């Protein structure tokens, strides 16, 4: 269905890879993986979670904004296949009251639509 890979570097976590099979998109798989990544980053006591996203990927960008990520910079010609830029997005502090409150509500909303968030750690 999909996968997400996270690097933990000091106090921060970074999404190194994130993909969802095209036929599974818009079914909640990507959101489930993002929830799992944020939960793991919280568990590992990371302060923030950072990732890169293509400017053309508006669906992913909207999902990240929904979860409190903000644009923090640009990596020129980042993607090797077509040299598209990458937008750097970073979560708000994972230990903040604002994040925890929003995140709890988003998980409840997700679970009411799709069921319990489940994933396999490897």
């Amino acid at each position: 269905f999909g996968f997400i890979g996270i690097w933990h570097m000091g106090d921060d976590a970074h999404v190194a890879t994130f993909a969802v099979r095209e036929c599974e998109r818009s079914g909640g798989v990507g959101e489930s993986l993002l929830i799992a990544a944020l939960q793991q980053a919280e568990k590992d006591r990371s302060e923030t979670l950072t990732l890169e996203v293509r400017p053309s990927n508006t669906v992913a960008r909207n999902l990240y904004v929904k979860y409190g990520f903000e644009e923090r910079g640009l990596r020129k010609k980042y993607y090797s296949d077509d040299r598209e830029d990458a937008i750097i997005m970073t979560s708000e502090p994972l230990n903040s009251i604002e994040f925890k409150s929003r995140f709890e509500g988003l998980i409840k909303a997700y679970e009411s639509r799709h069921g319990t968030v489940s994933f396999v750690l490897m």
Side-chain angles (χ1 to χ4, degrees):
F1 294 101
F3 62 90
I4 191 164
I6 305 169
W7 293 340
H8 295 278
M9 300 173 289
D11 293 335
D12 297 310
H14 180 81
V15 174
T17 186
F18 190 177
V20 175
R21 185 179 288 174
E22 192 167 344
C23 65
E24 300 292 336
R25 292 182 186 158
S26 300
V29 173
E31 187 169 359
S32 176
L33 290 167
L34 182 61
I35 289 168
L38 286 162
Q39 288 174 330
Q40 187 63 46
E42 276 186 305
K43 181 180 173 190
D44 293 338
R45 295 189 176 105
S46 296
E47 291 182 13
T48 59
L49 182 65
T50 300
L51 52 81
E52 289 89 12
V53 62
R54 292 174 183 269
S56 62
N57 192 345
T58 55
V59 172
R61 289 173 56 201
N62 290 337
L63 176 64
Y64 304 144
V65 168
K66 175 180 172 180
Y67 278 81
F69 285 74
E70 295 180 354
E71 293 184 13
R72 296 296 171 104
L74 188 71
R75 296 192 197 285
K76 291 289 198 178
K77 300 178 183 176
Y78 180 78
Y79 293 99
S80 61
D81 62 340
D82 62 0
R83 309 298 293 159
E84 186 174 1
D85 296 342
I87 298 170
I88 302 165
M89 298 187 78
T90 302
S91 70
E92 62 190 307
L94 301 179
N95 61 356
S96 70
I97 293 169
E98 295 83 5
F99 172 79
K100 289 180 182 293
S101 177
R102 178 188 305 109
F103 192 45
E104 182 179 311
L106 289 167
I107 290 171
K108 287 178 182 176
Y110 176 89
E111 290 179 340
S112 72
R113 291 188 317 271
H114 300 286
T116 304
V117 176
S118 61
F119 59 94
V120 176
L121 291 176
M122 294 188 190

